[in-house]
Amino acid sequence: MYQSSTIDHRIDHFGRTLRRQLKRLYGDVHDVDDLWERVEEILRARHEDRSAALRDLDATRAADPNWFVAPEMLGYSTYIDRFASTVPGLEQHVDHLEALGVRYLHLLALLKARKGDSDGGFAVADYLSIEPALGTMADVERLAAQLRKSRISLCVDLALNHTSDDHHWALAAKAGDPLFRDFYIVVDEETARLREKDLSQVFPGTAPGNFTHVPEMGGWVWTTFYPFQWDLNWANPKVLLAILDAMLRLANHGFEAFRFDSIAFLWKEAGTDSRNRPAAHHIVRALRAALDIAAPATLIKAEAIVPTAYVPPYFGADEGEGFEAECHLVYNNSLMVAGWVALSEGDAALPEAIIQASGGLPPGANWLSYVRCHDDIGWSSVLNDLASFDPKPIERLTQAARFTEGRQGSWACGEAFQSDGASVHGTNGTLASLAGLERATDEQSRDAALRRIRLLNALSIASGGLATLFMGDEAGLLNDHSYLNDPQRRHEGRWVHRPDMDWEALDKPTARRIISDINALRDARIASGGAGGPEAFDTGHPALLGVRCGSDLVFLNFSATPISVVLPTDCSDRLIGRPIDRQAILKPWDVLWAGVSE
Ligand code: OTU
């Protein structure tokens, strides 16, 4: 099978796309033939290093490029240290992942990070080493192979926008090496001030501004995130070569997926907000083509937390020379946010609008759907979607944020992130705390919170994406304020929803119910045969969202009142496993997964 796909064939085929990106990115200033020669050298050398087992995987996956767009795919994301202490320690918990049906595992903070505060591992000091306290690359190779046997693909973050200020490139730059100085962007004070006018801020509270004065660099270094995260200068092709080589080496260690962090920010352009620039897409497409040539089993997941309309292009685009693929998976951040908005207002209009905007996936691609992740819920990405049907979108979003932060008589227990609580930015909290479990005082409110947890998990699973659970949410873990005692972390509210995994909690009734709900939803999706781009249908009720999953109709009641539905045909309740009456009633925050037999 797939014998025709030698590295030569793939260079011939995908090399054309890759060269096109080099020309677009660097053609005005650099000799593209010369650059391509160096790229080709790296591709061949890294492919040469690739193990026989991984090359077999390349062949299998290339023959079935839709392998991960399948009803049974489910993901899990976790901080390795908080989940298992060390890499070898994780081997003991693979059974938990298997029991959940996990097929994709994203480990956060795995690569060697900056000493001290490292933004949860996103200030990477060495792309090719594992954080020493966690283990070694040999441990990771063993883990990846063990996971592969369990059909779990291991994913690692590739922070493409920045390195830490103690990465050896940054240290060399600080020491005056011109080669590495050009890996970063250094401007004078006046330019920094001018540029700042066009830029927005990701961490206005804890890291205001986009530039940091670094005396050793003789100016202001571009730092979109924390001052110790130095943005890479992708206008320098040497950065592309270095990252491309590191990425392929990591793929050869057994990682089957990369989470491309912060890719909206890769290309800076004066006079713009330097987000989602066309060239940022060209960089990602170049890296994709490189993987398609030298490690084609490897998936790319895009992390672009940007307004809805800017997100689909991260799957790829046709710029007149045929479709150029970009990322296999893209976070459906807007759908996640919309779920929380809908829950706070008891109205399904926003998720319906987002589903409408999420269809039309290219082949060999899928959304990554989720309810919570290690970051805050960033509200503003759905502002324009709300504006399309509400004249006061900011007020509406602010209300949703405040409700989720526990005001207005809400059940939720969230905390404002990077905002004084008056404006709308982000909200932190675990799924269970935000859904009301922390505040539940009696059996009735506990039951309601557990239904809200199931509702949001159902939105993620029924919408057809690679539904990815965040560590501890399956156990109903609550907000954890212990980070406030740690001077390295106390300024960062996102730690409130990154608790240590509580293995004992798994045996308690709360976790047992959440996990059995997840299992039922997963099995329902498998039975429906649904995966891929989401599709909504009209239920005739503003609080009731209708999602089509394969052949099935899934009803999600976002309100605190019961809603009755009339089913169009005889159905079975997939979550309970028995036939249902055509006329059914959904309790508050209830899910009805109506299985339609063919
Ligand atoms: C990403 O996040 C990571 O997921 C964060 O954990 C990192 O802090 C950050 O990059 C820097 O590496 O803007 O589109 O809470 O949604 O920082 C990329 C805000 C990002 C995050 C945001 C995000």
Side-chain angles (χ1 to χ4, degrees):
M1 64 195 246
Y2 212 70
Q3 274 133 355
S4 66
S5 182
T6 62
I7 177 97
D8 291 316
H9 284 113
R10 298 201 297 266
I11 285 193
D12 189 41
H13 182 70
F14 297 106
R16 256 173 280 159
T17 313
L18 210 165
R19 282 187 69 125
R20 208 177 297 134
Q21 313 311 321
L22 297 178
K23 187 152 179 285
R24 287 173 181 159
L25 289 164
Y26 309 115
D28 288 347
V29 189
H30 298 272
D31 179 345
V32 171
D33 289 331
D34 177 57
L35 205 51
W36 166 251
E37 235 174 74
R38 285 194 279 161
V39 168
E40 189 177 346
E41 242 170 65
I42 296 173
L43 294 172
R44 288 189 184 277
R46 298 292 73 82
H47 183 259
E48 198 56 40
D49 299 342
R50 199 154 165 84
S51 71
L54 290 172
R55 287 189 198 194
D56 281 349
L57 194 68
D58 288 337
T60 318
R61 299 257 166 98
D64 177 21
N66 258 322
W67 69 273
F68 63 96
V69 190
E72 67 273 18
M73 288 300 290
L74 190 83
Y76 195 92
S77 170
T78 182
Y79 282 89
I80 163 93
D81 59 337
R82 320 215 115 222
F83 185 76
S85 300
T86 62
V87 175
L90 199 142
E91 292 178 24
Q92 264 85 70
H93 294 300
V94 175
D95 56 345
H96 174 60
L97 302 172
E98 284 180 315
L100 285 167
V102 169
R103 297 284 308 278
Y104 157 95
L105 176 65
H106 166 216
L107 292 182
L108 286 145
L110 182 61
L111 302 183
K112 185 173 174 198
R114 179 177 187 270
K115 289 206 178 65
D117 183 12
S118 66
D119 184 22
F122 283 100
V124 174
D126 183 355
Y127 291 105
L128 295 174
S129 299
I130 299 304
E131 179 61 31
L134 301 172
T136 63
M137 196 57 94
D139 296 331
V140 169
E141 286 188 8
R142 208 179 42 246
L143 174 70
Q146 187 197 342
L147 290 170
R148 199 167 303 122
K149 281 201 197 114
S150 304
R151 300 174 69 215
I152 300 173
S153 296
L154 185 58
C155 171
V156 69
D157 286 284
L158 202 52
L160 296 177
N161 179 67
H162 42 262
T163 71
S164 78
D165 61 355
D166 65 355
H167 187 287
H168 76 90
W169 300 341
L171 296 178
K174 271 196 262 194
D177 184 334
L179 178 80
F180 289 108
R181 187 187 159 88
D182 202 24
F183 269 44
Y184 302 96
I185 307 160
V186 193
V187 298
D188 59 28
E189 192 172 359
E190 178 58 16
T191 312
R193 200 175 307 127
L194 271 175
R195 286 292 181 96
E196 200 67 75
K197 291 190 180 140
D198 295 320
L199 304 172
S200 43
Q201 305 198 26
V202 185
F203 301 137
T206 50
N210 286 272
F211 296 87
T212 302
H213 185 242
V214 182
E216 300 98 308
M217 297 286 272
W220 293 72
V221 175
W222 198 311
T223 54
T224 301
F225 298 91
Y226 279 98
F228 51 77
Q229 288 165 304
W230 289 15
D231 288 32
L232 284 163
N233 175 21
W234 284 89
N236 174 2
K238 292 200 176 82
V239 167
L240 178 90
L241 294 173
I243 294 283
L244 192 143
D245 187 61
M247 175 184 78
L248 295 177
R249 285 177 192 272
L250 282 172
N252 286 350
H253 285 302
F255 293 107
E256 295 181 29
F258 292 115
R259 175 184 175 281
F260 278 10
D261 183 62
S262 305
I263 49 174
F265 298 87
L266 298 185
W267 196 265
K268 322 304 192 212
E269 217 169 298
T272 76
D273 66 354
S274 294
R275 294 193 184 192
N276 307 301
R277 302 311 298 157
H281 290 280
H282 300 150
I283 292 166
V284 180
R285 275 180 232 166
L287 296 175
R288 165 68 185 266
L291 283 173
D292 282 341
I293 292 168
T298 326
L299 299 177
I300 301 176
K301 172 175 64 167
E303 195 251 359
I305 309 305
V306 295
T308 311
Y310 289 101
V311 183
Y314 287 97
F315 283 115
D318 185 341
E319 291 188 29
E321 317 214 34
F323 182 77
E324 295 173 354
E326 221 160 290
C327 300
H328 304 82
L329 291 161
V330 176
Y331 279 102
N332 200 339
N333 171 66
S334 295
L335 185 60
M336 180 278 286
V337 176
W340 287 104
V341 173
L343 195 57
S344 75
E345 23 179 67
D347 188 316
L350 187 59
E352 190 174 339
I354 301 294
I355 288 178
Q356 235 71 287
S358 306
L361 290 171
N366 201 5
W367 292 105
L368 185 137
S369 51
Y370 61 122
V371 180
R372 289 295 294 115
C373 71
H374 68 287
D375 285 328
D376 55 307
I377 303 168
W379 301 101
S380 53
S381 43
V382 297
L383 191 63
N384 297 338
D385 310 281
L386 268 180
S388 70
F389 58 84
D390 191 319
K392 292 191 161 176
I394 296 191
E395 288 79 348
R396 192 155 163 183
L397 216 44
T398 309
Q399 273 217 325
R402 294 300 86 88
F403 187 92
T404 312
E405 285 151 13
R407 307 222 210 129
Q408 305 152 358
S410 146
W411 62 77
C413 215
E415 296 178 2
F417 178 57
Q418 303 289 330
S419 110
D420 53 11
S423 59
V424 64
H425 191 99
T427 299
N428 292 318
T430 67
L431 167 56
S433 287
L434 296 181
L437 202 59
E438 188 167 335
R439 288 199 164 167
T441 46
D442 53 22
E443 207 31 55
Q444 210 186 348
S445 47
R446 207 178 82 85
D447 182 60
L450 289 165
R451 262 181 283 133
R452 291 190 284 263
I453 291 173
R454 181 173 77 155
L455 180 75
L456 291 181
N457 279 329
L459 176 62
S460 170
I461 291 174
S463 66
L466 199 182
T468 298
L469 310 169
F470 182 58
M471 180 201 95
D473 285 345
E474 78 278 32
L477 298 192
L478 303 177
N479 287 347
D480 170 13
H481 290 96
S482 61
Y483 76 98
L484 292 170
N485 304 322
D486 178 351
Q488 304 288 8
R489 295 186 290 143
R490 63 191 323 160
H491 60 280
E492 243 297 345
R494 287 176 293 172
W495 287 104
V496 80
H497 53 246
R498 301 167 180 174
D500 280 327
M501 183 58 181
D502 181 350
W503 294 101
E504 260 121 62
L506 286 177
D507 289 327
K508 301 196 175 132
T510 299
R512 282 218 295 270
R513 173 153 160 203
I514 297 173
I515 290 174
S516 101
D517 284 344
I518 292 170
N519 289 342
L521 291 165
R522 185 202 61 207
D523 291 347
R525 172 162 138 171
I526 294 173
S528 78
E535 209 188 310
F537 64 88
D538 187 17
T539 66
H541 192 296
L544 193 63
L545 179 68
V547 179
R548 212 177 278 282
C549 188
S551 53
D552 294 356
L553 301 173
V554 186
F555 296 86
L556 302 109
N557 179 1
F558 278 92
S559 76
T561 43
I563 300 178
S564 68
V565 289
V566 180
L567 298 169
T569 171
D570 286 336
C571 297
S572 63
D573 186 330
R574 294 252 198 232
L575 302 179
I576 309 177
R578 57 165 185 255
I580 21 173
D581 293 339
R582 283 275 187 103
Q583 177 108 36
I585 292 184
L586 276 87
K587 286 198 282 190
W589 306 293
D590 209 356
V591 179
L592 173 62
W593 193 305
V596 181
S597 318
E598 296 294 315

